Amino acid sequence: MSSTQHTPLPYYEDVSPGAGALPPRPWTPSSDAARLSLNGTWSFRLSPTATAEDDSFARPGYDARGWDELPVPGHWVLHGHGTPIYTNVRYPFPVDPPRVPDENPTGDHLRVFDLPGDWPAGGDAVLRFEGVESCARVWLNGEELGTFKGSRLPHEFAVGGLLQPSGNVLAVRVHQWSSGTYLEDQDQWWLPGIFREVTLEHRPEGSLGDYFVHASYDHTTGEGTLRIDADPGGRVTVPELGLDLATGESATVPVEPWTAETPRLYEARLTTVGESVPLRVGFRTVVVEDGLLKVNGRRVLFRGVNRHEFHPENGRAVDLATMRRDLVLMKQHNINAVRTSHYPPHPAFLGLCDELGLWVIDECDLETHGFVDLDWRNNPVDDDRWTPALLDRAERMVERDKNHPAVVMWSLGNECGTGRGLSAMADWIRERDPSRVIHYEGDLSCADTDVYSRMYAPHEEVDQIGRRTEPPWGDPELDAKRRALPFIECEYAHAMGNGPGGLSEYQRLFQEHERCQGGFVWEWIDHGFTRRAPDGRFYHVYGGDFGEELHDGNFVCDGLLFPDRTPSPGLIEYKKVIEPVRIEGDGADGTVRITNGHDFADLSHLVFSWTYEAEGEAIGSGELAVPPLPPGESAVLKLPAPSEAEAGAETWWTVEARLAAATAWAEAGHPIAWAQLPAATRARTLASGAAPRRDGGRIVLGPGVFDAATGALTSLGGLPLTEPPRLDIWRAPTDNDNGASWQPDERWGLIWRRFGLHRMRHRTDAVETTDGALTVRTRVAPAAVDIGLETVYRWTADGDGRLSLAVSVTPLGEWTFPLPRLGLRLGVPAALGDVEWFGGGPGEAYPDTRAAARVGRWALSVDELQTPYVRPQENGARIDVRWVRLTTPDGSGVRIEGEPAFWFTARRWTTEQLDAAEHTPDLEPSNETVWVNLDHGQQGIGSQSCGPGVLDEHRLDAAPAEFSFTFARLE
């Protein structure tokens, strides 16, 4: 007879949140009580399992001289101990909650410290950890303090009775995997370690335990009501308001309210018998009323981003300067809101949001997304055994962050399915803090929430939601509740690689439907780690580059910033789309309409200017007197009489709004909004007049020399072409072209490759020299299928050295999918590395990412035209180009003019090489050729790497097309 004996699970596998930690309290950035930072260099030992070593290292006198050293804050996998792992949804170990594998990397950390000579006698002290992934066990001077989980939340331990004047031994054992890991499947790198600060804080007799700042605003009276509850009690002073109150006492006085646009803070001080701390108080009131989310009585429109904490060298150990840099960049790009995906950020980040002005959705440290592929079986949020851990996480978030006016919503977590644990969290939060609203996206019934939130709802559905005509929910009562709620897209517009597309169309819906109160682009930054190539070049790596057995590739690089925090074209586009001032008008009659799209601020903080340009050159400029319009109001103004332009020149008005004075996030003159109004267009004509003549195996037409057998242009005015112009329809698929595996719609990148568009073949059917022109008839088609493109090239020339090409394209067979691009590709000598053009710029643009393209004259090198996406892909197209020059430094080269305006791309590698590259160093510049694309059309970009695909109006369907170019040699 046999029996099985079940032993209790070890602390790192039990479902509890831990043991021994003190109740949570607010994060207080400064205090007159003594503090000692324990950041710095610690001794470190890595073990392969949780039980490989005993706990003798925690005892005083342990000899750790043979250990390695590790910075704290930090992640051991970024300092030569193991490697990072990236997965989006899947847990990187068997799903058997709450158990984890024996292969559980465990880092033992040791720090020996002395108390400063002026450390106060008496009182108590607490040891505070701001963030440790994923489970920690702590000892001080050989005494175990406790264990904790909840990686991105603070934990404190009482240590006053254990401290010594010198030689204190702090020991921390950190396990990479624990039961807590099941609650932290948050679409990011798995990075174990002590990644936020460790501090020792003196707690004098009578020092603050808890305090709660209640600062509401009545928009009908202009008065704010302040009450600060504290334990123990004390006094509150706000000198600017003349307030001196006992804690728990209320006062109502006239105030300036806090908003993200006007982040007014009042300096205050809270003093008890044992401690005094400075506070910054912002008065504001958040409600859901009349089906809308309102702050201070007004509907708000979120122009937001999702932000993971990330640094390309330090992982989630993000310093204060980097946090501020992030927020300054957000403000400079018109972003007014942050969702802290998918956990509470470093607490200092929220203080910066208070100061600089951003709305915040503060999200709990909770995601169980890996259960989705298991039909949510054994999901912890619907298992009562886990509810204490969920409540602990909710409580630690709320108590830490409750005094920040920037926080307007508490989010229960992300992608956890549904369950009783979430309801328990919502109930606790609502009772503790009824002054904010509750968010959660994962329950379409909205049973526990105050807002209706979705991810990646396509434009058509957003329109339905805005009209409150979305499909019904099964429960009529819950359906009625949901229809009465305001709507936000907590994630939309997936900013992975080239993109996202469709932002302008989303923003129009947010502005058209009052219920649709904006959204949060996914996401802020690419999580690519920096690596140096053998040739010394720096580049960035992603999932799979560390040898992970299970990974999700470059899906971790889906941000509006590149890893080095350089803005991507997507961020430039987003800034334009969400600008808070709308400028419209009729350039032909010289009128402009200015609309204030702010929620709270008038326009007195902006100055407006106009510029009148002809062929991209400014011929007049001045200031525009715009009244300080209140939010939502418009004014129609008359532009001055335009300057005289050359007859037939293309002319434009540009109207711009800039900061009138410096702010905490930008200098005076920083651009906020702009628009261009066309005044007059110009007509273009094709070259004609010269006749072609045969010369042996060549055909000569004006400045052009052609191969007589194929009709291919081989030189222009003596300039040899390394590749003749011919039809091109292939582009290196973008992440959004390729789409995601779970997408229900067509994934065009895969379809294009399946049909062979990356290996088109060209057949010459006829070369004709008649009617003063050279006509070349061809068929362009992929192998193995019976579709193709009949392409006719008609070359003409004039006596002034211009060579013109008219192209007509007719689809053959049944094309059931759009084209990647439609135009010409040619190669010119590599020496032609300088580019000047008149058209859209200065950055790249595609049909659904073109809002930020400004018509003008621009100049860049071929190398500067490239956008270095972490995973190389189609990039760098300039839109609406009228003409372009490619030249050597001495100005010789070629000029190309198009009718209609075209997309222009130039690079030192082929599209095929770009398609094959996995990282930027894979692209080796050619020493012989610059490859040039002149495109009549481009397929839109969309957001299908996680969101909707390309809208119908931005599809490049296979259809008859005609376009033309004129080439001229520049001497």
Side-chain angles (χ1 to χ4, degrees), residues 371-397:
F371 289 87
V372 66
D373 292 333
L374 310 176
D375 296 323
W376 297 107
R377 289 188 305 277
N378 300 315
N379 184 7
V381 305
D382 200 28
D383 183 335
D384 292 338
R385 295 175 301 164
W386 292 80
T387 298
L390 303 183
L391 289 172
D392 180 75
R393 290 173 184 244
E395 184 177 354
R396 291 187 182 278
M397 171 182 69

mmCIF file of all heavy atoms in Angstrom, residues 371-397:
data_model
loop_
_atom_site.group_PDB
_atom_site.id
_atom_site.type_symbol
_atom_site.label_atom_id
_atom_site.label_comp_id
_atom_site.label_asym_id
_atom_site.label_seq_id
_atom_site.Cartn_x
_atom_site.Cartn_y
_atom_site.Cartn_z
ATOM 1 N N PHE A 371 -3.433 32.874 -19.857
ATOM 2 C CA PHE A 371 -4.523 31.902 -19.713
ATOM 3 C C PHE A 371 -5.521 31.965 -20.870
ATOM 4 O O PHE A 371 -6.403 31.115 -20.958
ATOM 5 C CB PHE A 371 -5.259 32.120 -18.391
ATOM 6 C CG PHE A 371 -4.460 31.707 -17.180
ATOM 7 C CD1 PHE A 371 -3.594 32.596 -16.577
ATOM 8 C CD2 PHE A 371 -4.549 30.422 -16.661
ATOM 9 C CE1 PHE A 371 -2.839 32.231 -15.473
ATOM 10 C CE2 PHE A 371 -3.800 30.036 -15.561
ATOM 11 C CZ PHE A 371 -2.939 30.939 -14.965
ATOM 12 N N VAL A 372 -5.387 32.966 -21.751
ATOM 13 C CA VAL A 372 -6.379 33.119 -22.820
ATOM 14 C C VAL A 372 -6.373 31.911 -23.750
ATOM 15 O O VAL A 372 -7.435 31.452 -24.203
ATOM 16 C CB VAL A 372 -6.147 34.427 -23.593
ATOM 17 C CG1 VAL A 372 -4.839 34.404 -24.361
ATOM 18 C CG2 VAL A 372 -7.298 34.719 -24.541
ATOM 19 N N ASP A 373 -5.198 31.385 -24.062
ATOM 20 C CA ASP A 373 -5.123 30.243 -24.967
ATOM 21 C C ASP A 373 -5.580 28.948 -24.305
ATOM 22 O O ASP A 373 -5.683 27.910 -24.962
ATOM 23 C CB ASP A 373 -3.694 30.079 -25.490
ATOM 24 C CG ASP A 373 -3.288 31.220 -26.408
ATOM 25 O OD1 ASP A 373 -4.175 31.820 -27.037
ATOM 26 O OD2 ASP A 373 -2.075 31.513 -26.488
ATOM 27 N N LEU A 374 -5.824 29.008 -23.000
ATOM 28 C CA LEU A 374 -6.345 27.859 -22.266
ATOM 29 C C LEU A 374 -7.826 28.040 -21.957
ATOM 30 O O LEU A 374 -8.366 27.399 -21.049
ATOM 31 C CB LEU A 374 -5.560 27.677 -20.961
ATOM 32 C CG LEU A 374 -4.032 27.661 -21.089
ATOM 33 C CD1 LEU A 374 -3.387 27.569 -19.712
ATOM 34 C CD2 LEU A 374 -3.580 26.514 -21.971
ATOM 35 N N ASP A 375 -8.471 28.932 -22.716
ATOM 36 C CA ASP A 375 -9.881 29.266 -22.486
ATOM 37 C C ASP A 375 -10.100 29.746 -21.052
ATOM 38 O O ASP A 375 -11.159 29.521 -20.463
ATOM 39 C CB ASP A 375 -10.790 28.054 -22.779
ATOM 40 C CG ASP A 375 -10.737 27.637 -24.236
ATOM 41 O OD1 ASP A 375 -10.645 28.536 -25.100
ATOM 42 O OD2 ASP A 375 -10.759 26.432 -24.510
ATOM 43 N N TRP A 376 -9.068 30.393 -20.512
ATOM 44 C CA TRP A 376 -9.097 31.002 -19.180
ATOM 45 C C TRP A 376 -9.274 29.973 -18.056
ATOM 46 O O TRP A 376 -9.673 30.317 -16.957
ATOM 47 C CB TRP A 376 -10.173 32.092 -19.078
ATOM 48 C CG TRP A 376 -9.934 33.241 -20.010
ATOM 49 C CD1 TRP A 376 -10.619 33.520 -21.146
ATOM 50 C CD2 TRP A 376 -8.928 34.261 -19.886
ATOM 51 N NE1 TRP A 376 -10.108 34.651 -21.757
ATOM 52 C CE2 TRP A 376 -9.072 35.137 -21.003
ATOM 53 C CE3 TRP A 376 -7.920 34.528 -18.950
ATOM 54 C CZ2 TRP A 376 -8.247 36.241 -21.195
ATOM 55 C CZ3 TRP A 376 -7.104 35.626 -19.147
ATOM 56 C CH2 TRP A 376 -7.267 36.472 -20.253
ATOM 57 N N ARG A 377 -8.950 28.696 -18.320
ATOM 58 C CA ARG A 377 -9.016 27.698 -17.254
ATOM 59 C C ARG A 377 -8.020 28.058 -16.148
ATOM 60 O O ARG A 377 -6.873 28.399 -16.412
ATOM 61 C CB ARG A 377 -8.698 26.301 -17.792
ATOM 62 C CG ARG A 377 -9.757 25.700 -18.682
ATOM 63 C CD ARG A 377 -9.447 24.237 -19.009
ATOM 64 N NE ARG A 377 -8.131 24.042 -19.605
ATOM 65 C CZ ARG A 377 -7.866 24.198 -20.905
ATOM 66 N NH1 ARG A 377 -8.842 24.540 -21.742
ATOM 67 N NH2 ARG A 377 -6.639 23.982 -21.366
ATOM 68 N N ASN A 378 -8.480 27.931 -14.895
ATOM 69 C CA ASN A 378 -7.642 28.180 -13.720
ATOM 70 C C ASN A 378 -7.113 29.610 -13.650
ATOM 71 O O ASN A 378 -6.091 29.871 -12.998
ATOM 72 C CB ASN A 378 -6.459 27.196 -13.666
ATOM 73 C CG ASN A 378 -6.910 25.756 -13.591
ATOM 74 O OD1 ASN A 378 -7.815 25.425 -12.818
ATOM 75 N ND2 ASN A 378 -6.301 24.887 -14.390
ATOM 76 N N ASN A 379 -7.818 30.521 -14.297
ATOM 77 C CA ASN A 379 -7.419 31.937 -14.262
ATOM 78 C C ASN A 379 -7.448 32.436 -12.813
ATOM 79 O O ASN A 379 -8.487 32.378 -12.149
ATOM 80 C CB ASN A 379 -8.386 32.753 -15.124
ATOM 81 C CG ASN A 379 -7.995 34.207 -15.229
ATOM 82 O OD1 ASN A 379 -6.927 34.619 -14.770
ATOM 83 N ND2 ASN A 379 -8.864 34.997 -15.837
ATOM 84 N N PRO A 380 -6.344 32.959 -12.289
ATOM 85 C CA PRO A 380 -6.330 33.376 -10.882
ATOM 86 C C PRO A 380 -7.374 34.422 -10.515
ATOM 87 O O PRO A 380 -7.821 34.457 -9.367
ATOM 88 C CB PRO A 380 -4.911 33.931 -10.710
ATOM 89 C CG PRO A 380 -4.094 33.164 -11.693
ATOM 90 C CD PRO A 380 -4.996 32.988 -12.887
ATOM 91 N N VAL A 381 -7.767 35.278 -11.459
ATOM 92 C CA VAL A 381 -8.716 36.327 -11.077
ATOM 93 C C VAL A 381 -10.124 35.785 -10.867
ATOM 94 O O VAL A 381 -11.004 36.530 -10.412
ATOM 95 C CB VAL A 381 -8.739 37.493 -12.101
ATOM 96 C CG1 VAL A 381 -7.359 38.067 -12.306
ATOM 97 C CG2 VAL A 381 -9.367 37.074 -13.416
ATOM 98 N N ASP A 382 -10.347 34.510 -11.185
ATOM 99 C CA ASP A 382 -11.651 33.908 -10.912
ATOM 100 C C ASP A 382 -11.497 32.706 -9.976
ATOM 101 O O ASP A 382 -12.255 31.742 -10.045
ATOM 102 C CB ASP A 382 -12.329 33.474 -12.219
ATOM 103 C CG ASP A 382 -13.834 33.300 -12.060
ATOM 104 O OD1 ASP A 382 -14.424 33.985 -11.197
ATOM 105 O OD2 ASP A 382 -14.421 32.487 -12.800
ATOM 106 N N ASP A 383 -10.495 32.787 -9.110
ATOM 107 C CA ASP A 383 -10.213 31.734 -8.139
ATOM 108 C C ASP A 383 -10.083 32.407 -6.779
ATOM 109 O O ASP A 383 -9.163 33.197 -6.545
ATOM 110 C CB ASP A 383 -8.919 31.026 -8.531
ATOM 111 C CG ASP A 383 -8.585 29.851 -7.619
ATOM 112 O OD1 ASP A 383 -9.032 29.848 -6.452
ATOM 113 O OD2 ASP A 383 -7.842 28.958 -8.067
ATOM 114 N N ASP A 384 -10.997 32.116 -5.888
ATOM 115 C CA ASP A 384 -11.046 32.828 -4.608
ATOM 116 C C ASP A 384 -9.754 32.696 -3.804
ATOM 117 O O ASP A 384 -9.452 33.554 -2.969
ATOM 118 C CB ASP A 384 -12.220 32.314 -3.768
ATOM 119 C CG ASP A 384 -13.569 32.688 -4.366
ATOM 120 O OD1 ASP A 384 -13.605 33.664 -5.150
ATOM 121 O OD2 ASP A 384 -14.566 32.011 -4.069
ATOM 122 N N ARG A 385 -8.981 31.655 -4.049
ATOM 123 C CA ARG A 385 -7.735 31.501 -3.299
ATOM 124 C C ARG A 385 -6.756 32.644 -3.595
ATOM 125 O O ARG A 385 -5.903 32.960 -2.758
ATOM 126 C CB ARG A 385 -7.066 30.169 -3.652
ATOM 127 C CG ARG A 385 -7.863 28.924 -3.241
ATOM 128 C CD ARG A 385 -7.158 27.683 -3.744
ATOM 129 N NE ARG A 385 -7.020 27.695 -5.205
ATOM 130 C CZ ARG A 385 -6.184 26.906 -5.883
ATOM 131 N NH1 ARG A 385 -5.401 26.046 -5.233
ATOM 132 N NH2 ARG A 385 -6.114 26.972 -7.206
ATOM 133 N N TRP A 386 -6.880 33.244 -4.781
ATOM 134 C CA TRP A 386 -5.956 34.304 -5.190
ATOM 135 C C TRP A 386 -6.455 35.697 -4.798
ATOM 136 O O TRP A 386 -5.714 36.678 -4.936
ATOM 137 C CB TRP A 386 -5.750 34.272 -6.707
ATOM 138 C CG TRP A 386 -5.023 33.081 -7.226
ATOM 139 C CD1 TRP A 386 -5.538 31.835 -7.453
ATOM 140 C CD2 TRP A 386 -3.643 33.011 -7.599
ATOM 141 N NE1 TRP A 386 -4.580 31.000 -7.948
ATOM 142 C CE2 TRP A 386 -3.395 31.694 -8.060
ATOM 143 C CE3 TRP A 386 -2.585 33.927 -7.608
ATOM 144 C CZ2 TRP A 386 -2.144 31.289 -8.516
ATOM 145 C CZ3 TRP A 386 -1.344 33.526 -8.064
ATOM 146 C CH2 TRP A 386 -1.131 32.224 -8.504
ATOM 147 N N THR A 387 -7.696 35.807 -4.355
ATOM 148 C CA THR A 387 -8.271 37.136 -4.108
ATOM 149 C C THR A 387 -7.458 37.956 -3.111
ATOM 150 O O THR A 387 -7.267 39.169 -3.318
ATOM 151 C CB THR A 387 -9.732 37.009 -3.674
ATOM 152 O OG1 THR A 387 -10.481 36.394 -4.742
ATOM 153 C CG2 THR A 387 -10.336 38.376 -3.377
ATOM 154 N N PRO A 388 -6.923 37.374 -2.033
ATOM 155 C CA PRO A 388 -6.087 38.201 -1.146
ATOM 156 C C PRO A 388 -4.889 38.817 -1.863
ATOM 157 O O PRO A 388 -4.525 39.970 -1.587
ATOM 158 C CB PRO A 388 -5.656 37.215 -0.060
ATOM 159 C CG PRO A 388 -6.764 36.201 -0.016
ATOM 160 C CD PRO A 388 -7.178 36.038 -1.441
ATOM 161 N N ALA A 389 -4.283 38.079 -2.779
ATOM 162 C CA ALA A 389 -3.148 38.641 -3.524
ATOM 163 C C ALA A 389 -3.603 39.778 -4.434
ATOM 164 O O ALA A 389 -2.910 40.796 -4.571
ATOM 165 C CB ALA A 389 -2.467 37.549 -4.339
ATOM 166 N N LEU A 390 -4.781 39.619 -5.056
ATOM 167 C CA LEU A 390 -5.299 40.685 -5.924
ATOM 168 C C LEU A 390 -5.627 41.927 -5.109
ATOM 169 O O LEU A 390 -5.308 43.052 -5.512
ATOM 170 C CB LEU A 390 -6.543 40.191 -6.670
ATOM 171 C CG LEU A 390 -6.394 38.932 -7.533
ATOM 172 C CD1 LEU A 390 -7.702 38.633 -8.248
ATOM 173 C CD2 LEU A 390 -5.277 39.083 -8.536
ATOM 174 N N LEU A 391 -6.274 41.728 -3.973
ATOM 175 C CA LEU A 391 -6.620 42.868 -3.131
ATOM 176 C C LEU A 391 -5.367 43.552 -2.600
ATOM 177 O O LEU A 391 -5.326 44.791 -2.480
ATOM 178 C CB LEU A 391 -7.512 42.423 -1.978
ATOM 179 C CG LEU A 391 -8.940 42.036 -2.364
ATOM 180 C CD1 LEU A 391 -9.662 41.426 -1.174
ATOM 181 C CD2 LEU A 391 -9.715 43.253 -2.879
ATOM 182 N N ASP A 392 -4.355 42.778 -2.276
ATOM 183 C CA ASP A 392 -3.104 43.368 -1.815
ATOM 184 C C ASP A 392 -2.512 44.274 -2.884
ATOM 185 O O ASP A 392 -2.032 45.380 -2.582
ATOM 186 C CB ASP A 392 -2.122 42.252 -1.460
ATOM 187 C CG ASP A 392 -0.790 42.784 -0.982
ATOM 188 O OD1 ASP A 392 -0.720 43.253 0.168
ATOM 189 O OD2 ASP A 392 0.183 42.744 -1.765
ATOM 190 N N ARG A 393 -2.549 43.840 -4.127
ATOM 191 C CA ARG A 393 -2.008 44.661 -5.216
ATOM 192 C C ARG A 393 -2.832 45.922 -5.413
ATOM 193 O O ARG A 393 -2.280 47.005 -5.629
ATOM 194 C CB ARG A 393 -1.936 43.832 -6.495
ATOM 195 C CG ARG A 393 -0.861 42.762 -6.426
ATOM 196 C CD ARG A 393 -0.865 41.796 -7.599
ATOM 197 N NE ARG A 393 0.139 40.758 -7.387
ATOM 198 C CZ ARG A 393 1.220 40.573 -8.155
ATOM 199 N NH1 ARG A 393 1.408 41.343 -9.210
ATOM 200 N NH2 ARG A 393 2.087 39.630 -7.879
ATOM 201 N N ALA A 394 -4.156 45.800 -5.378
ATOM 202 C CA ALA A 394 -5.002 46.986 -5.512
ATOM 203 C C ALA A 394 -4.737 47.970 -4.376
ATOM 204 O O ALA A 394 -4.617 49.187 -4.586
ATOM 205 C CB ALA A 394 -6.472 46.579 -5.531
ATOM 206 N N GLU A 395 -4.637 47.439 -3.156
ATOM 207 C CA GLU A 395 -4.432 48.305 -1.999
ATOM 208 C C GLU A 395 -3.083 49.002 -2.079
ATOM 209 O O GLU A 395 -2.977 50.213 -1.806
ATOM 210 C CB GLU A 395 -4.524 47.470 -0.719
ATOM 211 C CG GLU A 395 -4.428 48.278 0.553
ATOM 212 C CD GLU A 395 -4.587 47.419 1.797
ATOM 213 O OE1 GLU A 395 -4.888 46.215 1.654
ATOM 214 O OE2 GLU A 395 -4.413 47.956 2.907
ATOM 215 N N ARG A 396 -2.042 48.296 -2.459
ATOM 216 C CA ARG A 396 -0.720 48.914 -2.523
ATOM 217 C C ARG A 396 -0.660 49.998 -3.593
ATOM 218 O O ARG A 396 0.037 51.008 -3.436
ATOM 219 C CB ARG A 396 0.356 47.853 -2.749
ATOM 220 C CG ARG A 396 0.534 46.965 -1.533
ATOM 221 C CD ARG A 396 1.693 45.992 -1.620
ATOM 222 N NE ARG A 396 1.695 45.188 -0.395
ATOM 223 C CZ ARG A 396 2.213 45.586 0.765
ATOM 224 N NH1 ARG A 396 2.801 46.774 0.841
ATOM 225 N NH2 ARG A 396 2.151 44.807 1.829
ATOM 226 N N MET A 397 -1.360 49.808 -4.715
ATOM 227 C CA MET A 397 -1.407 50.852 -5.738
ATOM 228 C C MET A 397 -2.133 52.085 -5.221
ATOM 229 O O MET A 397 -1.628 53.214 -5.304
ATOM 230 C CB MET A 397 -2.103 50.331 -6.998
ATOM 231 C CG MET A 397 -2.376 51.421 -8.036
ATOM 232 S SD MET A 397 -3.250 50.833 -9.504
ATOM 233 C CE MET A 397 -4.882 50.464 -8.831
#
